[in-house]
Amino acid sequence: MKALVLSGGAGTRLRPITHTSAKQLVPVANKPVLFYGLEAIAEAGITEVGVIVGDTAEEIREAVGDGSQFGIKVTYIPQDQPLGLAHAVLIAQDFLGDDDFVMYLGDNFIVGGISGLVDEFRAERPDAQILLTKVPNPTSFGVAELDGTGRVVGLEEKPKQPKSDLALVGVYLFTPAIHEAVRSIEPSWRGELEITHAIQWLIDQQRDVRSTTIGGYWKDTGNVTDMLEVNRSVLESVEPVVEGTVDESSEIIGRVRIEAGAKVSGSRIVGPAIIGADTVISDAYVGPFTSVSEGCRIEDSEIEYSIVLRGSSITGVRRVEASLIGRDVVVTPAPRNPSAHRLVLGDHSKVQISS
């Protein structure tokens, strides 16, 4: 069995971060979200992995390499434009051959991995197996309709009138039957080959399409809110360790990981939190659910429930929270200009000014 990992999207919902960085490499608990998926694939016993890459191909290649750090062998498959998930399957056919495979969206995060799902698929080998989860806003997702026995009878991409609240999670398992399906469909109104249309084609052909509804934690990390929520979830299980230096005037409370070379002085850190290698925390407060990457500086400031990427500094800022701060960013206080009211008032005006 092989794996196909999609890492070619533009990440428009995470801009401006993704103007200069692949969305799959934005870190969660100081580790790129893509790495969690590759680790889950390796844990499921899959070693041959095709990675679909687009405009950020070089950055993905530099981070993932040949895959040996994860115990897998990676083949890179260029996609000139993000033309849909089914298009990714279409261009990967030479790599996939006649093997069964799992397709994993590189910006998705699933707690608990996929080993159980892969084992079930290997044992029973339906033509396709999809993961579903209940969501409060099904109009934003591909949505599945099940019959009374739980069998998949229909799929619809971002429906205006959803027939259920069961959204497709970004993990799919297929036999080679999917190749005929992706060749048989037409582009949607978005100009993309939709995987939901390909799976619907299998259903219409009376092929065996099954679903598993997961009750555990899943997130599509495509926007800042979800990135912060996934970061919070991962930090819940962080193991406390101090590999850097902490002076006597500092206070470390709860599950806090301070990596090698980091220096904490005159500060209070409340976990769960991670302080990256060679980062300096001075006269500052770092609150729960905060990940600070390597080579950062936080001085005379407060930050909580945030992600700070490599090489950034926050100095003299009273409070930062629920924020995603990119690489090599500088955050400082605004200049304190004299406060004044400048008025141009017509005749008979009445003005109330709160001074």
Side-chain angles (χ1 to χ4, degrees), residues 6-334:
L6 275 61
S7 297
T12 54
R13 292 178 295 161
L14 273 175
R15 288 177 179 168
I17 299 293
T18 49
H19 280 309
T20 54
S21 178
K23 65 176 180 177
Q24 298 85 4
L25 296 181
V26 176
V28 169
N30 285 7
K31 181 165 66 176
V33 67
L34 173 62
F35 287 13
Y36 292 95
L38 295 176
E39 289 169 355
I41 287 166
E43 288 168 5
I46 299 171
T47 56
E48 291 189 67
V49 180
V51 177
I52 301 288
V53 291
D55 292 342
T56 58
E58 287 308 311
E59 192 179 5
I60 298 289
R61 287 175 185 266
E62 182 178 349
V64 176
D66 62 2
S68 57
Q69 61 180 307
F70 308 100
I72 59 177
K73 178 183 177 183
V74 169
T75 299
Y76 293 97
I77 303 167
Q79 186 182 36
D80 293 336
Q81 293 181 327
L83 297 176
L85 305 188
H87 180 259
V89 175
L90 193 66
I91 64 173
Q93 186 166 1
D94 286 346
F95 165 76
L96 296 169
D98 294 326
D99 293 310
D100 297 347
F101 67 98
V102 56
M103 183 167 74
Y104 198 114
L105 273 58
D107 59 353
N108 275 224
F109 185 89
I110 300 174
V111 169
I114 60 171
S115 297
L117 180 74
V118 169
D119 290 343
E120 179 185 345
F121 182 81
R122 280 174 165 147
E124 303 192 11
R125 292 197 73 236
D127 294 298
Q129 186 158 351
I130 58 177
L131 258 65
L132 305 174
T133 191
K134 290 188 176 184
V135 295
N137 54 333
T139 55
S140 301
F141 300 92
V143 174
E145 181 185 1
L146 308 182
D147 65 15
T149 65
R151 192 175 185 84
V152 184
V153 295
L155 297 172
E156 196 172 0
E157 187 67 31
K158 296 180 174 62
K160 293 182 179 179
Q161 300 292 331
K163 295 179 180 178
S164 80
D165 60 354
L166 293 171
L168 276 77
V169 174
V171 177
Y172 310 79
L173 296 106
F174 297 115
T175 67
I178 193 65
H179 296 303
E180 184 181 0
V182 298
R183 290 194 301 267
S184 301
I185 61 173
E186 298 292 331
S188 67
W189 63 270
R190 300 193 299 173
E192 298 185 1
L193 290 176
E194 310 284 2
I195 198 66
T196 48
H197 291 178
I199 299 170
Q200 183 65 53
W201 186 91
L202 291 175
I203 295 169
D204 295 341
Q205 299 298 313
Q206 307 299 312
R207 305 302 289 263
D208 187 5
V209 177
R210 303 183 190 179
S211 69
T212 299
T213 301
I214 62 172
Y217 189 84
W218 164 79
K219 279 289 183 182
D220 167 6
T221 61
N223 60 54
V224 173
T225 300
D226 287 341
M227 284 292 304
L228 293 173
E229 177 62 20
V230 171
N231 190 62
R232 182 203 63 76
S233 177
V234 175
L235 287 178
E236 289 278 16
S237 58
V238 70
E239 293 295 329
V241 62
V242 176
E243 296 176 342
T245 59
V246 179
D247 74 356
E248 294 181 355
S249 64
S250 295
E251 187 178 15
I252 308 298
I253 301 172
R255 296 189 306 278
V256 177
R257 189 169 84 211
I258 300 174
E259 297 181 344
K263 296 179 180 179
V264 180
S265 61
S267 298
R268 187 169 187 254
I269 302 177
V270 180
I274 294 179
I275 308 301
D278 301 318
T279 282
V280 175
I281 310 291
S282 176
D283 300 318
Y285 167 76
V286 178
F289 309 118
T290 302
S291 296
V292 182
S293 294
E294 68 272 17
C296 295
R297 174 177 287 274
I298 299 179
E299 185 175 352
D300 190 27
S301 301
E302 298 180 6
I303 186 168
E304 186 170 307
Y305 193 66
S306 295
I307 299 173
V308 183
L309 273 59
R310 184 185 69 233
S312 291
S313 67
I314 302 171
T315 56
V317 179
R318 181 177 177 186
R319 185 77 173 179
V320 175
E321 62 181 31
S323 299
L324 175 57
I325 296 172
R327 295 176 297 187
D328 300 312
V329 168
V330 176
V331 181
T332 59

